């Protein structure tokens, strides 16, 4: 083929590791390959010795595949021979070459590539839809790996479509199989050696980085607001570790289509060229693949590169899809284990202090409500203290005092639970309970007062059952208002509790206003319950530690029997079991203490 003085010049740009090449040629032909005999030598193991040729035919350049084992791609499509467009990309193995043609005879140095998009991609100025390279759907990959047909009847692609460019020295399919087995082994090792979800995500990213030329990677889960948040991030050593921005458009497209996608050149697309996250991160190419298992997307693995000389291509996308699909079962199971562990943690913290119904609601609500996080909330706080217990305890052994208190608290706690309250703490012979937290309850003042009346009645029953001269009684103080509820304490130890002025007033009402057998409530509680309760107004007083006086009220009784019952009040099975156990222990304690039993109350004590 003879050279021609009117031939257009062809410019080539590519990178090998940290070396970048900018070349310009007019002579023809130009052989590209790993051999040093080539006009354009490319020393990379995925490039064949003589891989492809550029030649001038008539009035334009042509690209010809001359036996490259991994094929020759022009604009991401495999070709045997094809005319070169004005702007395009040539892919030989893992090497991507930017190429463009100009008729400028005076220029001897490579010019900057024109800003027009590559053929096959959308023009930034047009309204054409985003052009992407999508892998096979995630739900079909398992059939591909088994070599079977999809239930739709569609034949599975060849397993070789998953493979990266072959080593040019490989002579048979054994290398393909070995590579697939190595990939399986890497994923299996990550799944089996990860003790928790966090560690698993980290190891999956390490496998991704080991097999793909990416610079940044993240695994994203969707939050309650539909936003994909990075749960784990990994960057190449030479890349800044500043926060990686995740394209919500890409993630949502992956989740909706259940397909992995690749954007070859972010700057060439109108949809992404103006996206702040991608522009600020200087993203050149980006890929994302779903963790798809049992018809559900459990997360997305998201990777990108800032290197425009070696953009990501179809083979890379197939590898990422394979990795994501192989790891999807492990990710789904790890998420389930993590959810169960969180649920167990919540239950272990609450089941001793909250009613089973409340615990179930919190567990079901977990994710929408950040349990434990200290926050302001409207609540009613109840303080109760036993009166006369000290005198009674004088006649008991220390271990019997503890048993006696436990039995009383068992019965009082059952009442708190029945009215959806939470026991904050036990303090000697005193009890503190919260109504309206952790979950919000619009009628928390009424619930607290209903529980207080039932607690007072329960103490009277205990006195009748014991039939002793030294009666015990209970003072109760209740106040409603805004308070901070959540985990309070040091970094080493925290307790779920409530703090604030509302709590202080409730404590003072119990200790300074209520007398034995009385229930004292604050003005805000009274306003909330006056429709259902008969109350006695007391003189305004100045409580300890308060600068202003408040007017307390005494709860005398409910206006009707129905005012003492919840609309949907039903004693849970767990509360009934607790009640039965308490009754048995109560009888046992009476026998140990040799307290005479009044025959008239025998039946009542066993109810």
């Amino acid at each position: 083929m003879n050279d021609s003085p009117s031939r257009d010049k062809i410019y080539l740009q590519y990178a090998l590791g940290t070396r970048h090449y900018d070349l310009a040629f007019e002579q023809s032909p130009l052989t590209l390959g790993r051999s040093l005999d080539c006009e354009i030598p490319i020393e990379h193991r995925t490039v064949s010795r003589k891989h492809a040729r550029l030649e001038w035919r008539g009035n334009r350049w042509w690209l010809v595949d001359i036996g490259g084992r991994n094929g020759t791609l022009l604009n991401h499509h495999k070709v045997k021979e094809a005319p070169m467009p004005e702007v395009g990309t040539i892919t030989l193995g893992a090497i991507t070459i930017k190429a463009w043609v100009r008729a400028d005879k005076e220029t001897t140095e490579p010019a900057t590539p024109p800003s027009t998009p590559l053929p096959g991609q959308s023009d930034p100025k047009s309204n054409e839809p985003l052009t992407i390279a999508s892998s096979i759907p995630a739900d079909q990959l398992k059939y591909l790996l088994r070599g079977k047909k999809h239930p739709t009847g569609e034949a599975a692609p060849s397993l070789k479509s998953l493979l990266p460019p072959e080593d040019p020295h490989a002579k048979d399919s054994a290398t393909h199989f070995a590579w697939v087995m190595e990939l399986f082994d890497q994923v299996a090792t990550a799944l089996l050696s990860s003790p928790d979800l966090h560690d698993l995500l980290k190891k999956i990213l390490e496998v991704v980085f080991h097999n793909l030329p990416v610079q940044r990677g993240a695994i994203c889960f969707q939050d309650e607001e539909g936003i994909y948040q990075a749960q784990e991030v990994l960057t190449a050593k030479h890349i800044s570790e500043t926060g990686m921005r995740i394209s919500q458009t890409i993630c949502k497209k992956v989740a909706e289509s259940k397909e992995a996608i690749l954007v070859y050149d972010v700057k060439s697309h109108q949809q992404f060229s103006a996206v702040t996250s991608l522009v600020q991160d200087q993203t050149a190419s980006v890929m994302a693949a779903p963790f798809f298992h049992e018809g559900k997307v459990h997360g997305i693995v998201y990777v990108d590169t800032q290197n425009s000389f070696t953009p990501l291509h179809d083979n890379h996308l197939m590898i990422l899809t394979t990795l994501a699909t192989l790891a999807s079962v492990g990710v789904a199971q790890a998420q389930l284990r993590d959810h169960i562990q969180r649920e167990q943690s919540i239950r272990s913290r609450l089941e001793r202090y909250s009613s089973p119904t409340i615990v179930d609601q919190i567990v079901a609500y977990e994710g929408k409500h950040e349990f434990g996080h200290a926050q302001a909330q409207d609540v009613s706080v109840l303080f109760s203290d036993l009166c006369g217990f000290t005198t009674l305890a004088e006649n008991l052994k220390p271990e019997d005092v503890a048993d006696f208190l436990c039995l009383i608290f068992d019965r009082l706690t059952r009442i708190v639970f029945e009215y959806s309250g939470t026991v904050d703490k036990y303090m000697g012979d005193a009890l503190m309970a919260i109504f309206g937290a952790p979950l919000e309850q619009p009628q928390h003042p009424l619930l607290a007062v209903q529980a207080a009346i039932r607690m007072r009645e329960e103490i009277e029953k205990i006195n009748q059952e014991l039939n002793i001269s030294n009666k015990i009684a209970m003072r109760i103080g209740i106040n409603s208002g805004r308070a901070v509820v959540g985990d309070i304490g040091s970094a080493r130890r925290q307790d779920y509790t409530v703090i604030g002025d509302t709590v202080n007033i409730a404590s003072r009402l119990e200790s300074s206003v209520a007398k034995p057998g009385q229930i004292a409530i604050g003005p805000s509680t009274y306003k909330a319950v006056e429709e259902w309760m008969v109350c006695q107004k007391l003189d305004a007083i100045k409580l300890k530690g308060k600068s202003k006086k408040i007017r307390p009220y005494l709860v005398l009784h409910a206006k009707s029997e129905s005012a003492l019952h919840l609309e949907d009040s039903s004693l849970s099975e767990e509360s009934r079991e607790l009640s039965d156990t308490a009754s048995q222990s109560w009888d046992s304690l009476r026998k140990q203490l040799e307290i005479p039993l009044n025959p008239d109350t025998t039946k009542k004590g066993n109810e």
Side-chain angles (χ1 to χ4, degrees):
M1 190 174 290
N2 297 325
D3 292 346
S4 170
S6 62
R7 185 177 301 130
D8 293 341
K9 187 176 294 186
I10 188 166
Y11 299 91
L12 305 174
Q13 286 185 346
Y14 63 96
L16 288 174
T18 59
R19 295 173 295 168
H20 297 271
Y21 297 87
D22 295 301
L23 309 174
F25 298 93
E26 284 189 61
Q27 73 269 25
S28 172
L30 300 169
T31 304
L32 300 86
R34 201 174 73 259
S35 173
L36 296 178
D37 296 336
C38 297
E39 286 80 10
I40 307 175
I42 303 174
E43 299 180 35
H44 194 274
R45 67 180 185 84
T46 63
V47 178
S48 297
R49 291 179 59 81
K50 300 234 174 139
H51 200 120
R53 184 172 60 243
L54 286 165
E55 58 185 49
W56 182 263
R57 296 182 186 177
N59 62 351
R60 67 187 308 172
W61 286 95
W62 281 68
L63 175 65
V64 181
D65 177 72
I66 57 175
R69 288 188 59 85
N70 299 311
T72 300
L73 279 67
L74 177 61
N75 289 337
H76 313 289
H77 297 283
K78 185 175 287 189
V79 297
K80 278 298 181 183
E81 63 175 47
M84 286 295 299
E86 181 180 350
V87 180
T89 59
I90 301 170
T91 304
L92 309 179
I95 303 302
T96 300
I97 303 169
K98 286 190 173 182
W100 64 100
V101 178
R102 284 177 178 263
D104 185 359
K105 297 298 182 291
E106 303 300 324
T107 304
T108 58
E109 297 297 328
T112 301
S115 59
T116 54
L118 301 180
Q121 296 179 333
S122 60
D123 188 327
K125 297 180 182 179
S126 74
N127 292 322
E128 296 180 15
L130 170 67
T131 301
I132 60 174
S134 65
S135 75
I136 60 173
D139 65 342
Q140 292 186 14
L141 187 59
K142 61 181 179 181
Y143 297 98
L144 182 153
L145 296 175
R146 296 171 182 172
K148 298 181 179 179
K149 288 187 177 182
H150 192 268
T152 60
E154 181 180 351
S158 168
L159 185 61
K160 292 184 179 181
S161 65
L162 294 177
L163 301 176
E166 270 190 278
D167 189 311
H169 296 295
K171 300 300 183 183
D172 52 44
S173 62
T175 301
H176 293 273
F177 182 77
W179 180 87
V180 173
M181 290 301 98
E182 180 184 355
L183 186 62
F184 285 9
D185 180 67
Q186 292 176 36
V187 175
T189 300
L191 296 178
L192 295 175
S193 63
S194 300
D196 54 41
L197 179 62
H198 171 75
D199 188 71
L200 174 62
L201 301 185
K202 180 180 178 181
K203 288 180 178 177
I204 290 174
L205 284 178
E206 290 173 351
V207 173
V208 170
F209 272 64
H210 180 74
N211 290 277
L212 291 170
V214 297
Q215 295 179 324
R216 297 179 300 187
I219 293 179
C220 309
F221 293 160
Q222 192 176 33
D223 63 19
E224 292 297 328
E225 297 179 354
I227 305 299
Y228 283 89
Q229 304 284 359
Q231 304 298 310
E232 188 69 29
V233 176
L234 187 64
T235 59
K237 293 181 179 179
H238 62 285
I239 300 296
S240 171
E241 294 186 359
T242 54
M244 180 182 181
R245 299 171 179 85
I246 305 299
S247 169
Q248 296 299 314
T249 302
I250 290 177
C251 288
K252 290 177 181 178
K253 186 172 184 67
V254 169
E256 291 170 1
S257 66
K258 299 180 178 62
E259 291 186 357
I261 68 171
L262 160 65
V263 181
Y264 299 115
D265 187 352
V266 171
K267 294 180 181 178
S268 297
H269 296 290
Q270 181 182 17
Q271 186 174 354
F272 287 98
S273 60
V275 175
T276 303
S277 61
L278 297 177
V279 172
Q280 291 181 349
D281 280 0
Q282 299 179 332
T283 303
S285 300
V286 60
M287 294 191 300
F291 293 114
F292 185 78
H293 179 59
E294 295 185 347
K296 179 182 178 182
V297 174
H298 292 268
I300 292 172
V301 55
Y302 180 105
V303 297
D304 67 18
T305 178
Q306 296 172 311
N307 188 347
S308 60
F309 290 101
T310 56
L312 302 171
H313 54 70
D314 292 354
N315 283 341
H316 297 141
L317 184 64
M318 293 305 296
I319 295 172
L320 185 69
T321 306
T322 306
L323 287 169
T325 304
L326 293 174
S328 62
V329 176
V331 170
Q333 291 180 343
Q335 285 179 321
L336 178 60
R337 288 196 302 270
D338 187 66
H339 174 76
I340 292 174
Q341 289 173 355
R342 289 199 307 270
E343 179 177 319
Q344 290 175 338
S345 175
I346 292 174
R347 286 187 181 278
S348 65
R349 295 173 59 190
L350 282 179
E351 61 188 1
R352 293 178 298 169
Y353 308 111
S354 296
S355 69
T357 302
I358 291 294
V359 174
D360 289 340
Q361 290 178 15
I362 292 173
V363 170
Y365 201 53
E366 198 264 328
K368 301 177 183 178
H369 177 83
E370 190 173 359
F371 170 73
H373 178 68
Q375 58 185 344
Q377 196 166 331
D378 287 326
V379 296
S380 290
V381 181
L382 180 152
F383 278 87
S384 67
D385 188 22
L386 291 175
C387 307
F389 178 76
T390 303
T391 303
L392 180 63
E394 290 177 353
N395 300 319
L396 303 176
K397 297 177 181 179
E399 57 269 26
D400 292 334
V401 172
D403 289 341
F404 186 62
L405 269 178
C406 287
L407 289 170
I408 291 177
F409 283 145
D410 276 342
R411 295 171 71 159
L412 297 182
T413 298
R414 176 171 55 87
I415 295 171
V416 172
F417 286 1
E418 186 178 349
Y419 287 90
S420 301
T422 295
V423 175
D424 184 294
K425 60 176 65 72
Y426 302 103
M427 304 162 288
D429 57 0
L431 178 151
M432 174 182 171
I434 311 168
F435 296 82
L439 297 182
E440 295 181 358
Q441 297 163 319
Q443 289 189 311
H444 57 84
L446 180 59
L447 292 170
V449 173
Q450 288 173 327
I453 294 176
R454 287 284 306 280
M455 291 167 70
R456 182 170 60 183
E457 293 174 351
E458 195 69 19
I459 294 298
E460 293 175 357
K461 288 182 181 180
I462 291 173
N463 282 324
Q464 293 175 9
E465 293 168 11
L466 292 178
N467 194 21
I468 55 178
S469 57
N470 295 323
K471 305 292 185 182
I472 58 173
M474 177 174 283
R475 295 194 308 264
I476 299 177
I478 301 173
N479 191 44
S480 306
R482 205 74 171 161
V484 175
V485 184
D487 289 333
I488 307 294
S490 67
R492 290 180 176 272
R493 176 178 176 179
Q494 293 185 337
D495 289 318
Y496 187 84
T497 188
V498 57
I499 60 174
D501 194 50
T502 298
V503 182
N504 298 333
I505 292 176
S507 177
R508 296 288 183 259
L509 288 172
E510 178 271 311
S511 61
S512 303
V513 177
K515 300 294 188 293
Q518 292 184 339
I519 302 171
I521 61 175
S524 56
T525 306
Y526 169 74
K527 290 180 181 178
V529 303
E530 60 178 330
E531 180 181 347
W532 295 277
M533 300 293 164
V534 175
C535 300
Q536 176 185 343
K537 181 168 63 175
L538 302 178
D539 294 335
I541 62 171
K542 184 177 179 182
L543 297 175
K544 183 179 179 180
K546 303 297 297 179
S547 59
K548 296 182 179 179
K549 292 184 177 182
I550 69 166
R551 182 178 297 280
Y553 295 80
L554 292 180
V555 177
L556 303 181
H557 55 81
K559 290 184 177 180
S560 65
E561 183 65 23
S562 61
L564 286 177
H565 300 284
L566 300 174
E567 293 181 4
D568 192 25
S569 177
S570 59
L571 194 60
S572 69
E573 188 64 30
E574 183 172 329
S575 295
R576 294 184 189 277
E577 292 176 0
L578 183 145
S579 178
D580 293 341
T581 302
S583 296
Q584 295 170 10
S585 300
W586 194 258
D587 292 338
S588 176
L589 179 62
R590 277 193 303 230
K591 293 177 181 178
Q592 292 176 16
L593 302 180
E594 296 183 349
I595 297 176
L597 180 65
N598 187 336
D600 295 335
T601 60
T602 302
K603 183 178 179 180
K604 188 178 295 184
N606 290 325
E607 289 178 351

